[in-house]
Every structure is written in C-alpha cells, then in structure tokens.
Amino acid sequence: MIERNNTKQAVRIGVDIGGTFTDIALEIGTQIFSTKLLTNYSAPEQAILDGILTVVKDADIHLSDIDMVIHGTTLATNALIERRGAKTAFITTEGFRDVLEMRTENRFEQYDLNITLPKPLIARPDRYTLNERVGSKGQVLKALDLDEAETLASVIEQGGYTSVAIGFMHSYLNGEHEARVRDILLRRNPSLSVSISSEVSPQMREYERFNTVCANAYVRPVMESYLHSLVDRLKETGIACPVFMIHSGGGIISVQNAAAFPVRLMESGPAGGAMFAADIANRFSLDSVISFDMGGTTAKICLIEQGRPKTAKTFEVDRSYRFKKGSGMPISIPVIEMVEIGAGGGSLASVDSMNQIRVGPESAASEPGPACYQRGGKRPAVTDADLILGRLDADNFAGGAIRLSTTAAETALNDAVGEKLALTPSLAAFGISEVVDENMANAARAHAVENGKALEAFTMIAFGGAAPVHASRLCEKLGIDRLLIPRSAGVGSAVGFLKAPFGYEVVKSAFMRLDLCDMSQVNATLNELAASAAQVLEEGARDQTIIWERRAYMRYQGQGWEIPIELPEGPYQDAQRETFAQLFEQAYTQFFGRPIEGLPIEIISWTVKASSQLPPVEKVDPLQAVTATQSALIRPLFDAALGDYVDAQICERESLRPGQRVSGPAIVVERETSTIVTSSFDVIVQNDGSLLVQKKNLLN
C-alpha cells in the first residue's frame, strides 16, 4: 500500500496481451495510468515488464508499491488457431478414435458442395484407444485393462509426446478410468503434461468434450512455461505481489489454476473487455448495450443487458466460414458469449480471384506490422487505410511511440489493391475500410439475430485501440444512434480486468427427467459444484462476501439443445419440481413465444458460479450539450457516408470538459486511440470524461 491523499489505496495493474499490442493499466483509487506497447512474440513477458515500468514512473510510485497484477492474454487462443502447441496425443475409448474428425456430422453451409471441414486438432496417427467402457449412467460396462494401459504408456513415451489428452465415453459421470490412466502415464514419465476430460470439461456430448480436453492439453505446456516465466520475471524485477489471471467467464483465478486449465483462458482478453463495458453500462444505467472491442488483430461483439454480459457454457474458436456456427473449434467451458472475427488494425487486405477486396482474418500483428509501421511489413492493413483516410496522425500514433509512414502505406495500398482494381490509394483505402466495417456490422447483425435482438434500440460502447476509429461508421451501418467512448478506451480490456470479481463457474452434466428426479441428488450435485468453485476462489477471495448463482440447462424431451434457467437458492425439496417447471416454461416462452404442452422436461447440466461481491458503481448522470466548442485545428478526413474528404476539427480529449459539445465531422485525439466523429454525429463530454457520440437529430 502507498499513501495517497492521507489514505491507503490499493495499487493494482491490469495487463492484456493482444495479437498486436500489449496494454497496461495501473489503478490507484480512481486514477488510471496506462500505456500500449507492441506485443513481443518471442518473449511476451518483456512487453509486460516494460509497460509496468512506464506506468509506475507515470504514477510516481515504486514497484514494491504494487499490490496485485491481473493478467489476461490471447496467447492460448493464438497457439490453438496457429497450431503452435505441444506435441499432443489423445487417448479415448475404443471405437471413438475418429470423433474429432467426424465432428457432429452437421454441415454449417448446407448447399456448399465443396465444403471443407476444419482439420482436427490432433491428427489421426496421434490418437489412441483403450478397450474400456463406462455407461450413460456412470456404471462400468467394461473394466480398464491395466496391462493394455501400461503398454500404451510405453508407446506414448517412445512417441516423444509432451502432452496427453484423455477423454473416455461418459467420463463426465465417472472419471475413474481417466484418472487411473493418468496415474499410469505419470508414473512412467512424471514430466508429462496430462489433461483429463472429467476435470477439464465434465459435460455430455463427446465431440465437444473431447475437443476441449485436447485443446487444454495442446496449449498447457506452452502456457505453463509462459506463466511461470512471467511470475519469475516479475519477482526478479521487484514485483513480489500476487499475480492472478482473468478467465473466459469474466472472473479472476490464481496462476496455478490457470496453468492447469489454460483452456479457460481462451477468451480472457475479450472477457475483460466485456467486464469493462458492463461497468460503464451500470454507471450510465443502460439496460441494452452492445460492446465493440477492436484491437490490432480481432474485433469482438458482445451483448450486455441489465448490466450483465450474456454468458454460455460453450463457444467456438476460429469460425472459419463466414462467422457461421459449426465452422469453428468448439470449446465447452463457461464463457462470456460474444462473436469474434479477424478484423483489427493489423488485418491484411488483398484482392481475390473475383476482383473483390478481402480483409482479414490474416493479420500483420506486431511483427512485422502494417506497412506504415516501417518494420518490414509490405502488405496493406486496415491501419494503412485509416492513415490515408485521415483518421490517424502519422506523428502521434500510440502517443508518438510509433511514427507512421504515409508513403509506405500508399505504396502497399497501390501494389496490393490499387493497381489490380485501377484505384487511387485513397479509393483503395476507402474500399478496405468499408469492407472491414461491413464485416464487423455483419458479425454484429448475426450475433443479434442469434439472440433475437434488434440493435437499433441498443447503445454501443466502443473500446480497444481501433474501435473508436471505426465505431461511428459501424453505428451508421447498424442504425445505432448512441455511442459511448469511455475514458481509457484504448486499453479497455486491461481496465476491465480491474473491474472483474474473483469468480469461477463449474459445469457438470447430470441428465435427469424433471418429473422423476430425486431432489436429494440435485442438492448433492450442486453442493459438489459449489465446493469446487469455493476451492478455486479461496486464494484470492478469502474473507470476502461471495455471491452464488445456480443454473440448470433444461429442454423438452426430444429436443437437441437446452436453455439456461436461473435457480432460486437451495436446498431443494421434491415439491419444488413444479417451481423448476414454471421457471423453464417462462424462459422457454421468452425464447420461443410459447411453451409446449404435454412434453416431459429434461435437465441436462448444472452450473454453480461463485463470485466475490464488487463495490457499488458510482452512477453518472447523462449530460446534454451545455457549450458548443470549435477547434482551430483542421485535418482532411474521409467521411464514408458522404464518399468524400471533409474538413474535420481536431480536439485533444484532455482539453475537453463535461458539457462541451463538438459537432462532427471531428477527431478527438488521445494517447492510445482517436475517436472519429462522422458528419452525422456530434460528441458531448460526460461528467466522468466519457464521450457520448450521438446522432445530430437526437440533440435538443
């Protein structure tokens, strides 16, 4: 602790490693000190250390004053997508070796005769089987042959595998066989990394469960090495405070737990962004929000209603076919539900065989970066287009840390797009910008439709280095009239880590028919899950008030998928079956319009979530304009809706005061990003420093 204003205030740091930038946010009371650095792929922890030194200097404190570091990263996701994980073997029940390849046998594009399915994470020669079997009620139908398991352990050792995933049929109900095989493997090779599905993802549906345990095993050695190296480097630098990780569900867990289950970190960075947006939504009392997080590599869209991000117990990594469900890699873990696409400042542009401009998902990342970075990149990226369109200041990008080259950007745009389509660099940049904006708008529309929502009534909250640059145009495409750009938007996910609770959600499948279920069994299942969640929270949330949430995933008999039902506090009696049925029918009616009479109700899975209680947020009273402000600084800005350059006034965000209104077209500049206000919008500074970008016809 350090002394600030005669009171002791905690010093906490949020660290987000993205595909292009590493963001650092230091919090002391209500003050935030932040910085952005290019991600160091060869040594990711180096950018963290450099960034921490920068913000500590800005805050005028010592490294020893830091009380906590909270970290989130896309490194696990990137390793999975780019197939840069450990040499991994998969062991499963005899007869189920090809489940990873057969998937669910659903076609995500029904009429594409040349459909290409994503390749399985573990190739067939690396998949092995054992002749054992557990039944659908957890009973052992065929006992594990220990001699056969010993022989397989020898094969694994000789194969030079670093990591092993084990997933047997119905092990979510009885994981004894998985645990015994793990013991045999580790007895022979103690340095081997072994993941078992009954611990990683104890959920029914074998394809999703097998894929999840394989993903965990695949990235576990990489992430264990990285996390241990990070903690050691921090201690060597003089930062001896606890280090925690944020997981995909938006809660904070220990480094040890994260290292054992790195698949939980897949969406940790985006989850922090969703928590950041939820905090802003609560401050402004906004019930319907769409968060837009655009960094250097990806863009993320999330729906936030009643101040809470929408959650799910499964998600897909790397949707490879037009963002469609089923075209990605399914991961069965609790997660903040969002759609993520390869659209960021570093997303590369090209012209396809039909002479159409394509943008992403390939990214220039931080190495070599967009052409304008002058770090070796030759192909045009979205950032190159934004520079040519007047959205970025070549001399003050990232606070002046990176000098951008207009000449290099024009050359790249001309070589890759302009010459092929007979376009000037400006028109090529306009085309790239429109394509990437339309890609993000389509992803947002698809996500809204999947959730039965109309986005016109939503307020957008934009953050990330590139989101404020593109958000106004995205709002024009989606018909959204109000947009909020919070303070520290450029490092929003890192700040979001500081707004997250210590929390953990445990999921377990336990199939039962509601009218026949034994409520004592239900209580036992939920108590088991609660004990597991409490154990994970013990290190970080000791002596804190814990909030418990319980859900059942239910469906009508014969249906393929279930919906989540919020449960009242237990324990439950048999008489409460009717209460469960009423809750399900109410939720089903909200989803589908009416219940179905006469069909039995089934419960598929149970979840228990434990979270530390967050302090109440300080509410912000929305402001309409009090004083019109005009800047003498002007820069040509391409307005996509008008299809031409306009004179946009340039305002320093730090110089604007609450109640001031700046009429678009305008550019509000700050250290980590720039907010583009198109001609159809005005911007009003709010009491907390947020920028409310609002349609002109809505102003009083």
Side-chain angles (χ1 to χ4, degrees):
M1 297 290 217
I2 62 173
E3 295 290 337
R4 293 277 168 180
N5 300 324
N6 298 321
T7 60
K8 288 186 176 181
Q9 295 177 309
V11 178
R12 302 192 303 157
I13 289 183
V15 179
D16 177 31
I17 295 184
T20 303
F21 286 98
T22 294
D23 298 343
I24 314 290
L26 182 151
E27 178 188 67
I28 305 175
T30 59
Q31 290 182 290
I32 296 288
F33 301 88
S34 61
T35 190
K36 294 177 79 76
L37 301 90
L38 289 171
T39 293
N40 186 327
Y41 277 88
S42 60
E45 66 274 13
Q46 188 58 51
I48 294 177
L49 297 172
D50 293 343
I52 288 178
L53 290 174
T54 298
V55 294
V56 163
K57 182 179 179 181
D58 291 344
D60 190 25
I61 62 173
H62 301 291
L63 292 173
S64 58
D65 293 326
I66 300 171
D67 297 299
M68 184 185 299
V69 174
I70 305 171
H71 180 27
T73 176
T74 60
L75 292 176
T77 309
N78 294 342
L80 201 63
I81 293 172
E82 298 167 17
R83 305 299 169 96
R84 292 187 290 103
K87 184 177 181 181
T88 305
F90 175 51
I91 302 173
T92 188
T93 304
E94 185 173 309
F96 295 88
R97 179 183 183 186
D98 294 320
V99 164
L100 293 179
E101 201 128 18
M102 295 167 64
R103 300 167 65 87
T104 61
E105 298 188 355
N106 288 332
R107 295 171 63 87
F108 48 79
E109 182 56 46
Q110 185 174 357
Y111 301 108
D112 185 351
L113 299 180
N114 299 312
I115 190 171
T116 300
L117 298 176
K119 292 182 179 180
L121 187 61
I122 310 298
R124 197 171 198 274
D126 299 320
R127 304 196 294 259
Y128 302 90
T129 63
L130 288 173
N131 192 13
E132 64 78 47
R133 189 63 184 267
V134 171
S136 61
K137 296 182 180 180
Q139 76 277 29
V140 176
L141 300 178
K142 192 163 193 177
L144 179 68
D145 187 328
L146 299 181
D147 291 336
E148 184 188 17
E150 289 284 358
T151 301
L152 180 55
S154 177
V155 173
I156 295 294
E157 185 177 29
Q158 294 171 12
Y161 295 102
T162 305
S163 189
V164 177
I166 304 174
F168 291 148
M169 287 298 294
H170 303 299
S171 61
Y172 59 90
L173 290 173
N174 182 352
E176 180 184 351
H177 287 181
E178 289 187 348
R180 293 181 74 178
V181 174
R182 175 177 59 185
D183 293 342
I184 291 171
L185 291 171
L186 292 177
R187 188 165 60 247
R188 181 178 289 269
N189 184 1
S191 64
L192 192 66
S193 176
V194 183
S195 299
I196 63 176
S197 72
S198 54
E199 291 180 355
V200 174
S201 178
Q203 299 187 55
M204 62 187 296
R205 299 190 175 96
E206 60 269 18
Y207 167 56
E208 289 83 355
R209 178 164 52 88
F210 290 178
N211 202 79
T212 303
V213 72
C214 286
N216 194 79
Y218 188 71
V219 301
R220 183 174 173 180
V222 175
M223 293 305 297
E224 280 184 329
S225 175
Y226 163 69
L227 291 174
H228 292 152
S229 174
L230 172 62
V231 172
D232 291 342
R233 290 288 306 276
L234 289 173
K235 289 181 179 178
E236 291 170 4
T237 308
I239 305 171
C241 65
V243 179
F244 295 95
M245 303 295 296
I246 188 159
H247 61 72
S248 302
I252 300 170
I253 57 176
S254 69
V255 167
Q256 291 74 21
N257 191 274
F261 302 103
V263 73
R264 286 271 191 163
L265 305 179
M266 289 294 173
E267 293 291 284
S268 61
M275 298 304 294
F276 177 64
D279 180 71
I280 299 299
N282 282 316
R283 291 180 187 278
F284 281 86
S285 301
L286 297 173
D287 292 334
S288 299
V289 161
I290 177 170
S291 75
F292 170 42
D293 176 5
M294 183 180 180
T297 305
T298 58
K300 285 76 67 175
I301 307 288
C302 177
L303 298 181
I304 298 171
E305 297 185 283
Q306 308 300 323
R308 299 178 63 181
K310 186 173 176 60
T311 60
K313 60 185 178 73
T314 60
F315 74 105
E316 283 186 71
V317 175
D318 191 27
R319 288 191 186 180
S320 59
Y321 190 96
R322 300 178 183 175
F323 327 123
K324 285 202 170 185
K325 278 187 175 181
S327 66
M329 187 184 302
I331 303 292
S332 294
I333 58 169
V335 64
I336 291 179
E337 187 175 14
M338 62 185 74
V339 61
E340 182 173 0
I341 66 171
S347 295
L348 293 170
S350 61
V351 176
D352 66 12
S353 59
M354 298 179 67
N355 283 336
Q356 294 180 330
I357 296 175
R358 300 293 182 188
V359 182
E362 187 181 1
S363 173
S366 61
E367 300 172 5
C372 60
Y373 281 18
Q374 304 179 85
R375 294 167 56 90
K378 301 298 181 183
R379 298 167 61 187
V382 172
T383 297
D384 296 302
D386 288 339
L387 177 63
I388 299 303
L389 297 176
R391 297 169 176 170
L392 304 176
D393 186 340
D395 296 325
N396 291 298
F397 185 75
I402 302 174
R403 294 299 177 96
L404 304 182
S405 170
T406 302
T407 301
E410 287 182 341
T411 300
L413 288 163
N414 187 61
D415 291 347
V417 179
E419 288 185 354
K420 296 180 180 180
L421 301 180
L423 298 174
T424 64
S426 292
L427 287 178
F430 173 41
I432 290 170
S433 176
E434 278 295 277
V435 168
V436 75
D437 288 344
E438 191 60 33
N439 286 346
M440 293 185 292
N442 281 335
R445 293 185 190 106
H447 189 50
V449 168
E450 288 172 359
N451 288 277
K453 304 297 179 182
L455 291 179
E456 291 82 359
F458 279 62
T459 298
M460 179 179 287
I461 297 178
F463 52 93
V469 177
H470 290 260
S472 291
R473 181 57 177 155
L474 204 60
C475 286
E476 290 176 342
K477 288 178 174 290
L478 295 173
I480 293 175
D481 294 335
R482 291 181 176 85
L483 160 69
L484 269 174
I485 312 292
R487 292 188 67 85
S488 304
V491 293
S493 289
V495 176
F497 299 165
L498 305 174
K499 307 297 181 184
F502 287 93
Y504 200 72
E505 184 172 359
V506 186
V507 184
K508 183 179 177 64
S509 290
F511 176 85
M512 57 187 72
R513 236 177 76 167
L514 178 59
D515 57 345
L516 302 176
C517 74
D518 181 353
M519 281 297 182
S520 63
Q521 181 184 348
V522 171
N523 292 329
T525 298
L526 292 176
N527 288 339
E528 176 190 342
L529 298 182
S532 297
Q535 185 177 3
V536 174
L537 257 65
E538 185 176 350
E539 182 177 348
R542 190 178 291 113
D543 300 326
Q544 294 190 34
T545 301
I546 302 299
I547 298 173
W548 296 92
E549 299 175 53
R550 301 163 182 81
R551 293 189 188 90
Y553 284 81
M554 304 168 69
R555 69 184 184 189
Y556 284 115
Q557 189 177 63
Q559 291 183 328
W561 291 93
E562 55 276 3
I563 60 175
I565 308 300
E566 298 283 346
L567 299 178
E569 186 175 351
Y572 309 113
Q573 306 296 325
D574 288 343
Q576 288 179 277
R577 293 178 188 143
E578 183 61 33
T579 302
F580 279 38
Q582 291 173 356
L583 291 171
F584 170 72
E585 289 180 349
Q586 291 170 6
Y588 194 89
T589 301
Q590 289 179 346
F591 273 100
F592 304 109
R594 64 180 180 86
I596 300 176
E597 300 294 337
L599 278 183
I601 298 170
E602 298 173 336
I603 304 173
I604 307 302
S605 299
W606 306 86
T607 76
V608 173
K609 182 178 181 181
S611 304
S612 61
Q613 188 171 29
L614 292 172
V617 299
E618 185 176 342
K619 295 291 185 178
V620 178
D621 293 326
L623 280 178
Q624 289 297 329
V626 176
T627 307
T629 302
Q630 186 73 30
S631 173
L633 298 175
I634 300 293
R635 187 165 83 213
L637 171 70
F638 194 93
D639 193 307
L642 301 178
D644 201 356
Y645 283 91
V646 294
D647 288 333
Q649 52 183 318
I650 303 173
C651 302
E652 289 279 351
R653 184 164 185 170
E654 290 301 318
S655 68
L656 296 174
R657 297 291 175 263
Q660 290 186 316
R661 174 174 60 85
V662 179
S663 183
I667 306 171
V668 182
V669 297
E670 55 186 299
R671 182 174 178 177
E672 284 96 8
T673 188
S674 294
T675 299
I676 302 300
V677 185
T678 58
S679 300
S680 58
F681 288 94
D682 285 352
V683 59
I684 305 165
V685 184
Q686 300 299 295
N687 281 321
D688 68 336
S690 296
L691 304 178
L692 174 62
V693 182
Q694 188 167 274
K695 274 285 182 71
K696 291 182 185 291
N697 59 8
L698 295 182
L699 294 174
N700 294 330

